Every structure is written in C-alpha cells, then in structure tokens.
Amino acid sequence: MNDELWLGIDIGTQGVRAAVYDDEGRSVATSAVERPPHAPESGAMVHDAEDDWWSGAVEAVSEVLVGLDAAGIRRTSIAGIGVSGLFPAVVLLDGAGRPLSDAVLYGDARAQAAAAEVTRRLGVRLKGDEVSPRLVWLQEWRPGLVNRARHVLGPTGYVGWRLTGRPSIDPHSAARWGGIATPGLDGWDTAALAAIGLNASNLPPIVGPTEVIGPVTEEARLVTGLPAGIPVVAGTTDSLAGFIGDGLHNQGDAIVYYGSSGTLLVCSDDLDAVLRDRRRFGPDSPYRLAAYAVNSGVALERLRAEMLSGVPFETLDVLAAAVPPGADGVVMIPYLAGRSQPEPQPSAHGALIGLQLHHTAGHVWRAALEAFGFVLRDALERLDGPLHSVTAVGGGARSATWRGIVSDVTGLAQRHARPGGSARGAAMLAALGVGRYGSLAGFDRCWFDDGVAETTRPDKVRRARYDGIYTTWRAIEAAVAAFDADSTERST
Amino acid sequence: MRSAWCTQGRRGTVVISDPTILCLDVGLTHAKAVLFAPDGRLLARAAHAYPTHRPAADRVEQDAEDWWTAIVAACADLRRATPSAMRAVAAVGVTAHMHALVSVGDDGRALGPALVLGDRRARASAEAITAEVGERALYRITGAGMDASMPAAKLRWLRDHDPERFRATRVFLGAKDAIRHRLTGDRLTEPVDACASSLYDIRAGRWSPELLEAVGVDESRLPQVTGPEAVAGMLGRRPAAALGLRPDVPVVVGAGDDVEVLGGGLVAPGEALEHLGTTGSMLAVVDAPVDDPQMALELYPHTLTGRWLLGGSITAAGAAVAWASNLLGYGDPGASLSVLKAPPMGSGAVFLPGLAGERCPDRLPEACGAWVGLDLGMTRGSLMAAAYDGVAMALRRILDALERVAGRQARVVVSAGGSDLDPRWLARRAAVYGRPLVLLECPEPTALGLAVVVAGGVGFYPDVPAAVKAMARRTQVVEPDPLAVESADAGRQRAAAASAALRPIWSRSST
C-alpha cells in the first residue's frame, strides 16, 4: 500500500470542507467549517473572499492537518491537492491581491438589468446566475473597477491562487461565466468582452481540472501548515466534483440535490471523456440541470422562518412525517423566485392551496416536501433517456421522510450519499492530475463506500396514491400559473 | 318615557319604579344576561360559557340544560352586581343562535342533544330535500339554499336515523324558543327563527307544505308563528325563582340573533350592517323580497314587518384570522393587529379565507383557503396582513352582491362591534369597504336589538320603530383614507382574480 494521501478542499455556499483520503479512498481526516452567505442589502448574496473563502479553507485545512498529526501521519504524505467550489461566483482583486468587491454569488438578485443587457449585446441565453452580468453590474456601480482589477476569479481559482500564486479557472466554471469564454473553452472571447465594456487581460487562464497549476508556495505554507511544494490541480465546480466524488461517472447518473433549492442534475456525458477533452464542457454538459424546484438558495428557509414561526427543520420533519400522502389536501406551488424549467417564467410565484381550519405547520411542510417531489416528477417525464442511478445529496437529504416522499412520488430508488462528495471529488482530481490514477474508471469502488448511507425505495401503495395526487397538483399548478401570468400583465 | 311601570300580575296590578328590561342572549359559546333601561342604556351584563360537543367529525352538539345553567349563573351574577335593577325587571326577551334543532318532549325538556350550527351529519338529507323540492323552488320558498346546517335537513336526518327520538318529540324548536318555552311554557316562534329553520314559506308567511312533506313532519309539532314583539306568556313561578325575578313578568317572543340589525339601527334601505365574529356577514334592509339569481344571498324577514333582510356570510372570518395568526406564530390575538399599521397591499400575497368552504357570493362548500402570489419577499407580517385583508375583501364582495341584487347602494356600513373594534382593523375595513364604518354606542348590539323588540312589544314605546329610534344610538364614524382605498381596490382586483382562477379546482378530490 502506498502511503500517498490526497487533500480535497470544497468551498461551498454555507461553508468549507476539507478531507484527506488514502489510496483506498478512506477518509483519514475531515473537517467542516461554517461560512454562510451574507445579505448586506435586499437581494444580495455575497461572501467575503478573504474572510469566507480563504479563511474558511485555512481553518478547515488546519483542522485536518492537526488530525493527521494526531494519527501520527506525516503531512508530507499529501501528494496532491484539489479544490472545488460553488459557482457561478466572482471576486475582483487589486494589484496587492486584496478584494476590490464582495464575492458575488449565484443567488444574488441585483444584476437583473445587467443580465438583460448582456443577453441583448451577446445574443446568449442566460439562466440569470452567470458571472458576466455581475461584472457589468460591478462596472456600473464603480466605472472602471472591473478593468482595473488585477485578477477576476471564482472561488476554486481564488483558493488555488492563494495556495500557488497562480490564477486559474476550470472549464466547467468558465462555461457558466455567461458567454464570454471561447466555444472551445481555451480562452476568452475578446470581442464579446469588448461588447460589454470589459477587457480580457485580467481574466484567468482556463486550466483543465486535472492540470497542475503549481506547487504550494512558502507563503501559503506559513499560513496553512501545508508543506511547500505539494502540487495543486485546477479543480472544478462543487457540483461536478460531487458527481466525481460520489462515483457518478456515466451518462444517466443523476443527483437529486435536497437543499434550500432543489435540483435534479443528470449526467449527460462520460466524465472521463469530459476530463480529457474540455470542449465537451458546456452549460448543459457534462450534466444538465433537469429540474429546479423552489428556485433559490433561500426559499424553503423563507417558508420556515416567515410562515411557520421559525420552527426548526428537525421538528417540521417530524410533523410532516405524521401527515399522510397528499398532506390532507394542502398543496404547495413552490416557485417563490419565478420558474426556470422547462421554460423561464419570471412571473411565476408560489402559492399554498387547500387550507382548512384544522391544518397546521406539519401539513404545510409536508406540502412543501411533496412539491419538490412533484416538480422532479414533472422533469423526469420530460427527460429524453432513462436514469442509470439516482443519488440524494445535500443537507435536506438527511430527512428520511423527504427522501421517502421523493421516492414514492417519482418511483425512483435513491442512494443516499453522505456529505463530503465534492471534497472527495476534488481529492480524486488531484490523484488523477499527479498521475496516480489514469482515469476515473481506475478508482476502486471502495473509494465510494464511505459515501453511501443507504438506499430509499418507493412504496408501492403510496406510489399509487401519489399518481392521483400528482394529477391534482398539476391542475392546481396550471390554475395558479394563469393567475400569476394575469397578475403580471395587469401590473405592467 | 315612564319611570314607573304598571303591569298586570296574577294577583293584581304591580307597580315597578325605574323598570328595566332583561335580555337573554345565548350565542354559540356563551350565554349572556344583559340589563337595559328602557331608554337603551346598558345597565349591567354577565356572561357564562358553556361547552360544545363534537362526538364525531361531522357532529356539533350542545346540551339545552347547559344553556339553562349558564343563563341561571349569569342572572345570579347580575343579582349580585345590581340587585335593585334585577328586582325592577319589568319584561324579558330571549334571543339565541339560529339553525339549531331542539327536540322538546312532553315534559318541556330537551330529548337528547341540540344539533347546532356547524353540524354536518345531515348532508345527504339536505341533498335529498333539494332534489325533491327543486333548488330554485327551495330558494324561493325559504330564502336560502338547503344545506346540512338547516333544521329542515336535521329533522329529516332524525326521522331516518333516530326514529325513536323523532316519534317522542312533542315540538321541534330552535334554541331561543326552547329556552323561552322553559320560561313560559309557550310553543311559539316568529318569522326570523322560522325562516332560519328552512321549513317556512317566507313570502306566504306560513310553514311550507312542500318542506313539511319533504321532512315528514306535521305542523302540529312545530311552534305557532307570531310576531317577535308579541308577549309569549308570563314568567312561570319556578323559572322566575331560578333566575331571581318576580313571577308574572311578561316574556316577549323575541327574535333570532339577526335582531342585531335593530341594535344597529338598521330600519331602512341604504345602509348595511357588518357582523364580524368567528363567522362574518353583511346584511342590508330591503323593502320587498328580492331574488338572487345566483341563489347565494339569503333573504330573511326583518323583525320590522314589511321589511326584509338580505344577507350573505363567510363561514370563517375571525376563525380565519385566528388560524393564520396561530400558524404564523403570533402568540396573543392582539399581537397580529400591529401588521395593519402599514397600508393595504395592492400587490404581493393574497389570502382567500375560505378555510371552511365558501358560501357567498359563490356557493362552493368544497372550497378551501389559500395564499397566492408568494415570493421571496414574503414576511410573517405581510402574510398576516394578507389574511386580514382577505377577510375584509370577502365581506366587501358580499356587500357588492347585496347592492347588486337590492338595486340600492349602502352609504355606510354599521359595525356590530365586538373584538374587532381595534382602530387599525376598523380603518382597514373602512378602506376595503370604500365607505364609512359607523360604530355603535352599545357594546351588545344583539341584546340591544332584542331590548328594542321587548320595549316596543310591552308598551314602553308605541311600537318597535319608535323604540329603535330612541334606543339604538350610534357614535363614531370611521372615514376611509382615500390612499388606502386606492391600494385596497387594487388588492380587491387581485383577490377576485385569484378566486376566479382557483374556482375550477375546488371540486377535484385530492385523494
């Protein structure tokens, strides 16, 4: 057995995870620190690159290193470092490397007008969370600011830069920067950038996920405790790292993400092929966003805090478990921040229907959990191919009630993955980059054992009940959509 | 106005100085005893709660004995508080919640529990009666649609499911008439409670042969219908002793609790009355019986002969506000009122308060409540404000329907008061109604309305209209804020659109 170790660092929306794996994929040390996003004004969703991204990484890495020390493992056993991060997100740095702005995250709602402008000028279809509108918005806020910046980086690239002194961006993140990368993802489209008033000189090089960007510098060693010289690879987005780290490498492998937003991500390409050829990256590749329920990072949290008196999630979960399928007629339409699938419908709103005097928080929460399932079912009906596997990830996936509802509504069996898949995926990219493995297929399945908690299967009886309930839900969804569309028309 | 009152007792003339009127008002949760001076001043009041039983999901029952116990206790309180005023009681009246069915036996006591408003066991009977008599014919005869709450449906249910009780009943009475029967032994009623039974032909002014046939009951087992101000009888010795009153005091027939409109001074068309409690209603006086083509508004004889009351109600008014307040985590009922300091919302969340079905202006018993237009900007406060607005807007929709069918505008809305006297809630309702809200001097408008009938009936005044004029006094007028009216209008349009959008889905079953 080789005594090489692999360190993965994942910069997430709510915090940073670090994990060290041995050659059989066993986690030797892990840590997780909290760094939630901030809302300095209404609609804002930001991090501080230094205090959240870097400081979080330093704290998490220090903890795992202490863990190694305690187990009598030499820090120099770490043979490679990979980074993964939330996306799309961006921070501007000055010549001294200090942030010139907040790090603006995907859920920030302030750049809608800028997004419309980018769409017009570049002719690209945006989802609304890309980086190019952020840059246009920052430029409007402080003219010349973006072009004056020394570096423009996402979280993966920023942490990589702090570790090695070399800026970079991975192709998957670059593909989601909003129409400013070249089609081959080998550089930046200077004409497109000029059209929106930006220059390309401060944008980072696009580096393949397994390519080494450089060694850990002495400066980084002093701050983190990592031995200098360890190779750092470019890494990738947290979502893609999650697919990699949870063993989902083939077309048809799907992730259902149970968070404050609910998403269905379906792997649409063979990941080994994608890692070898960056041209295969795109907004819908190597995985597609097939469903987006409860459109935002905060919608379910909003429901809990505002409508349900702030009752804790765990309590709501227990209450919902006691309510039968169909929530006794309570129906939730979850589009609190508009709708993006299958077609963008910004006029869409949320609704809570079917209320009676004996209904309580448990009924409302059950309806919210079921709504997530119904949106998924709707998306599944429109998929053009069967799913190979389904893995439930995210904080909300800890709820057996919620997983059970989703399995019963959709008929899918779901593997439940423990948290930390992204950090594992980042570590795997480092192992690939250093040459220890030749492909994802080369990793033993034991790498993914730690990650699986259990499998939730649909119950036949409940599944049959949900068929009828789903039909009712669709009818209510249509009625509410008609009201929302009319409503918008009347107010414009 | 006399300060000495002469009355004929069994043993000759009795003279009472500073006479008072005792009103017994038995609501759905409390029995009240209220003492009035003949000029309408409220002298004293006492209330005692009594229980409601729900032995099954669709059954809501009360024990007539509990009504009596509560009345006795309330009167005892009054005796302690104002002994001289109780001794000076010169006339008594009774009012109570309507649509209850009491089976009274030969001994004058109730046989089994009273089936009260909210009891829904007679759903199938209501449907059967509607099928047999015809929906439109039913509406024309009785002034309302038939549903499970109506004594007519409950009677038929008794006939079919409790034949023993059905056979043993000497007379079927409503709540107030069952209580008054205990006071005097009379078997009478008046047009308002008769109408509320849905067995009465309101235009012909008699029990309806078609309805009696549909429920299988003979007129001999129903009370005789007379005027509300008629003297039903004299207070018997035993009940007088129980209540601490002198015997031989005249007891007036009274009226069902819609008599509140008299307490509000509503005698002529051009005004509406708002009743806002657990349920909510809007009532207006009309000169002639009118038909609502949608059959959603209800027609009642007014306590004043020759006039009629047109009204509509929502089943969950205060109940909807309380439900929302509870879900949203406002600990005490008053705390949620603070959300009303912001103006009405023209945009944002809309709340439809049909948590116990919709009755008016759309008959949709399967309807439910809803919040629509939810977005990330929603807050506890905005959701609660939407609930208040939703209830006010539902009442405004009834008011609009009343004006349409009556063919006459209501210049003002008289508020029957209660806990909804908070100035913020009053101002909001005035804005949503789009016209002034008039407040009453008396905090017990139902009891006062009854006192008016009693005063007119026993001769304190030449007639009931004169009694209304003297006794029913109004105080403050809450004028609507024009800006608030404007944003409320926008909100009302959204609410109407939401209601229309959801209408088709209520009849679907979700399981």
Side-chain angles (χ1 to χ4, degrees):
Chain A
M1 188 186 76
N2 211 310
D3 61 0
E4 282 176 324
L5 301 176
W6 313 101
L7 169 64
I9 305 170
D10 174 46
I11 316 296
T13 308
Q14 300 293 339
V16 180
R17 283 183 188 272
V20 174
Y21 298 89
D22 69 14
D23 267 320
E24 281 167 10
R26 275 188 301 250
S27 65
V28 171
T30 66
S31 78
V33 305
E34 282 182 12
R35 290 292 193 279
H38 318 287
E41 58 177 349
S42 171
M45 187 187 179
V46 302
H47 271 143
D48 181 297
E50 283 187 335
D51 292 342
D52 295 322
W53 292 350
W54 180 236
S55 147
V58 167
E59 201 182 313
V61 167
S62 306
E63 265 181 51
V64 299
L65 292 179
V66 164
L68 290 185
D69 295 347
I73 299 170
R74 295 198 312 277
R75 296 184 184 194
T76 48
S77 303
I78 298 174
I81 299 172
V83 183
S84 64
L86 67 105
F87 74 110
V90 66
V91 67
L92 305 176
L93 305 179
D94 67 13
R98 311 303 306 273
L100 283 169
S101 67
D102 288 330
V104 186
L105 312 185
Y106 56 88
D108 193 290
R110 296 173 293 171
Q112 273 153 22
E117 201 185 314
V118 170
T119 303
R120 218 178 35 246
R121 289 177 190 263
L122 301 189
V124 287
R125 192 166 144 179
L126 299 179
K127 286 183 173 115
D129 58 357
E130 291 86 351
V131 164
S132 54
R134 312 285 179 216
L135 296 176
V136 170
W137 177 73
L138 283 166
Q139 192 86 315
E140 278 164 11
W141 174 58
R142 295 271 191 277
L145 180 74
V146 178
N147 290 331
R148 265 203 319 274
R150 172 73 65 83
H151 295 295
V152 178
L153 296 172
T156 310
Y158 175 77
V159 169
W161 175 72
R162 294 297 298 253
L163 286 172
T164 65
R166 304 196 188 158
S168 70
I169 185 171
D170 65 282
H172 194 218
S173 296
R176 295 277 275 113
W177 272 34
I180 53 177
T182 59
L185 291 172
D186 47 13
W188 302 103
D189 185 336
T190 47
L193 284 161
I196 54 176
L198 301 173
N199 67 57
S201 59
N202 52 12
L203 296 180
I206 303 178
V207 181
T210 56
E211 281 178 50
V212 174
I213 53 173
V216 171
T217 60
E218 176 60 20
E219 192 185 331
R221 179 191 73 81
L222 288 168
V223 175
T224 63
L226 288 165
I230 301 177
V232 180
V233 299
T236 187
T237 60
D238 58 359
S239 298
L240 182 56
F243 271 91
I244 293 169
D246 283 328
L248 310 173
H249 305 157
N250 303 302
Q251 256 190 314
D253 281 331
I255 279 180
V256 176
Y257 182 73
Y258 291 70
S260 198
S261 63
T263 56
L264 170 67
L265 308 174
V266 183
C267 192
S268 50
D269 202 347
D270 167 47
L271 291 191
D272 267 326
V274 170
L275 289 175
R276 278 193 300 271
D277 180 359
R278 68 170 66 179
R279 287 169 305 177
R280 292 170 94 118
F281 278 107
D284 281 336
S285 178
Y287 62 80
R288 274 187 305 108
L289 178 62
Y292 203 6
V294 194
N295 242 26
S296 105
V298 296
L300 277 181
E301 170 55 26
R302 203 113 200 97
L303 186 76
R304 185 190 74 85
E306 299 297 331
M307 192 183 279
L308 301 178
S309 329
V311 170
F313 278 115
E314 296 72 26
T315 310
L316 288 173
D317 197 62
V318 170
L319 294 173
V323 172
D328 193 31
V330 180
V331 161
M332 180 166 194
I333 305 301
Y335 311 123
L336 266 72
R339 197 175 171 183
S340 65
Q341 301 284 334
E343 291 294 326
Q345 273 176 56
S347 70
H349 281 73
L352 194 61
I353 314 282
L355 299 169
Q356 294 180 272
L357 291 171
H358 64 278
H359 288 145
T360 60
H363 295 93
V364 175
W365 195 247
R366 175 116 194 164
L369 302 185
E370 292 182 341
F372 178 65
F374 295 139
V375 172
L376 277 183
R377 178 165 167 163
D378 178 45
L380 289 167
E381 282 170 4
R382 278 180 278 104
L383 279 185
D384 47 15
L387 295 180
H388 183 242
S389 73
V390 181
T391 303
V393 307
R398 282 194 305 260
S399 161
T401 305
W402 199 359
R403 291 198 316 275
I405 288 171
V406 171
S407 281
D408 291 338
V409 169
T410 60
L412 294 172
Q414 303 171 73
R415 290 166 72 232
H416 177 206
R418 294 199 185 89
S422 299
R424 185 182 303 107
M428 287 167 66
L429 289 173
L432 278 170
V434 164
R436 181 70 184 84
Y437 293 90
S439 66
L440 292 174
F443 286 79
D444 288 330
R445 289 325 283 176
C446 61
W447 265 81
F448 314 109
D449 285 346
D450 262 3
V452 183
E454 64 191 80
T455 298
T456 305
R457 296 183 196 286
D459 170 273
K460 235 199 305 245
V461 170
R462 287 197 293 269
R463 182 158 180 213
R465 275 189 81 182
Y466 271 120
D467 282 343
I469 296 167
Y470 175 66
T471 308
T472 302
W473 186 83
R474 293 296 301 265
I476 294 173
E477 188 196 30
V480 170
F483 165 73
D484 285 330
D486 257 0
S487 217
T488 307
E489 223 179 87
R490 241 181 292 113
S491 67
T492 49
Chain B
M1 179 48 46
R2 308 178 211 199
S3 63
W5 176 252
C6 295
T7 187
Q8 268 319 102
R10 291 205 182 86
R11 289 195 239 125
T13 310
V14 180
V15 179
I16 305 169
S17 49
D18 294 323
T20 60
I21 297 168
L22 176 65
C23 292
L24 302 174
D25 172 9
V26 180
L28 278 168
T29 53
H30 285 72
K32 292 185 207 173
V34 188
L35 275 172
F36 288 96
D39 65 1
R41 273 174 305 129
L42 191 153
L43 300 173
R45 55 180 164 164
H48 272 258
Y50 64 88
T52 299
H53 306 289
R54 290 181 167 83
D58 61 355
R59 297 193 177 192
V60 187
E61 297 173 345
Q62 293 175 351
D63 190 331
E65 218 32 58
D66 289 338
W67 298 335
W68 184 249
T69 308
I71 288 169
V72 167
C75 287
D77 286 352
L78 287 183
R79 271 203 314 284
R80 274 191 293 276
T82 53
S84 52
M86 275 297 268
R87 273 198 303 275
V89 168
V92 177
V94 186
T95 183
H97 54 88
M98 299 195 288
H99 311 301
L101 181 70
V102 187
S103 302
V104 177
D106 286 320
D107 63 352
R109 297 294 171 94
L111 295 169
L115 278 56
V116 302
L117 181 69
D119 190 289
R120 303 201 53 74
R121 78 188 75 183
R123 275 185 313 285
S125 310
E127 279 162 25
I129 297 170
T130 307
E132 282 164 30
V133 178
E135 204 182 350
R136 196 148 273 288
L138 244 181
Y139 181 74
R140 178 127 188 115
I141 294 170
T142 69
M146 175 67 57
D147 72 45
S149 335
M150 298 301 136
K154 290 164 175 166
L155 256 175
R156 181 161 163 149
W157 184 91
L158 271 185
R159 181 197 73 180
D160 296 337
H161 296 92
D162 195 349
E164 214 178 287
R165 172 148 63 139
F166 186 76
R167 266 195 307 273
T169 305
R170 172 69 183 84
V171 63
F172 294 100
L173 296 175
K176 90 163 187 306
D177 301 316
I179 292 163
R180 203 190 56 252
H181 177 75
R182 195 146 171 179
L183 297 178
T184 66
D186 74 86
R187 287 193 295 272
L188 299 170
T189 191
E190 40 68 44
V192 178
D193 255 323
C195 173
S197 73
S198 274
L199 292 166
Y200 190 65
D201 186 326
I202 58 177
R203 287 168 174 82
R206 59 182 166 104
W207 297 114
S208 159
E210 294 99 322
L211 267 308
L212 294 191
E213 189 177 329
V215 308
V217 142
D218 183 79
E219 208 170 307
S220 61
R221 295 213 285 159
L222 294 177
Q224 201 185 321
V225 184
T226 181
E229 69 274 23
V231 173
M234 306 302 250
L235 190 59
R237 200 173 306 276
R238 275 244 190 88
L243 300 185
L245 300 173
R246 65 176 79 242
D248 298 342
V249 167
V251 182
V252 160
V253 173
D257 61 7
D258 267 359
V259 77
E260 188 177 54
V261 303
L262 278 187
L266 244 76
V267 297
E271 297 180 328
L273 182 108
E274 162 210 74
H275 170 93
L276 188 46
T278 305
T279 65
S281 23
M282 278 286 185
L283 298 150
V285 177
V286 287
D287 273 333
V290 284
D291 254 344
D292 174 18
Q294 318 291 0
M295 296 188 287
L297 296 174
E298 296 179 357
L299 189 64
Y300 275 82
H302 195 311
T303 322
L304 296 175
T305 325
R307 291 256 149 92
W308 301 79
L309 271 182
L310 193 61
S313 59
I314 56 176
T315 321
V321 167
W323 176 87
S325 164
N326 191 47
L327 183 80
L328 298 170
Y330 288 96
D332 87 67
S336 67
L337 285 161
S338 61
V339 308
L340 295 176
K341 59 178 184 285
M345 304 181 304
S347 58
V350 170
F351 182 77
L352 300 179
L355 286 99
E358 286 184 26
R359 278 175 75 170
C360 192
D362 299 308
R363 287 191 72 90
L364 291 168
E366 323 87 4
C368 296
W371 265 296
V372 295
L374 299 177
D375 62 19
L376 290 180
M378 74 180 181
T379 61
R380 194 167 80 130
S382 71
L383 293 170
M384 190 69 228
Y388 277 110
D389 286 341
V391 169
M393 287 175 188
L395 287 171
R396 169 70 192 263
R397 275 201 294 280
I398 298 174
L399 182 59
D400 290 342
L402 286 177
E403 290 184 323
R404 226 174 16 248
V405 173
R408 176 97 186 236
Q409 270 219 315
R411 287 182 318 269
V412 298
V413 175
V414 178
S415 176
S419 56
D420 310 288
L421 285 175
D422 183 277
R424 295 164 292 192
W425 194 193
L426 286 169
R428 181 59 66 93
R429 297 202 308 278
V432 172
Y433 298 159
R435 71 208 74 196
L437 207 49
V438 176
L439 305 184
L440 304 175
E441 189 185 280
C442 181
E444 296 284 350
T446 305
L448 177 64
L450 176 64
V452 162
V453 170
V454 172
V458 300
F460 280 108
Y461 295 92
D463 55 25
V464 171
V468 176
K469 213 160 163 194
M471 296 170 75
R473 291 182 284 273
R474 299 171 174 187
T475 56
Q476 204 194 331
V477 177
V478 178
E479 295 282 349
D481 174 316
L483 288 174
V485 171
E486 215 179 292
S487 51
D489 278 350
R492 280 191 303 116
Q493 277 184 47
R494 278 171 60 77
S499 198
L502 294 181
R503 199 163 298 141
I505 59 180
W506 297 132
S507 48
R508 298 189 69 112
S509 165
S510 61
T511 48

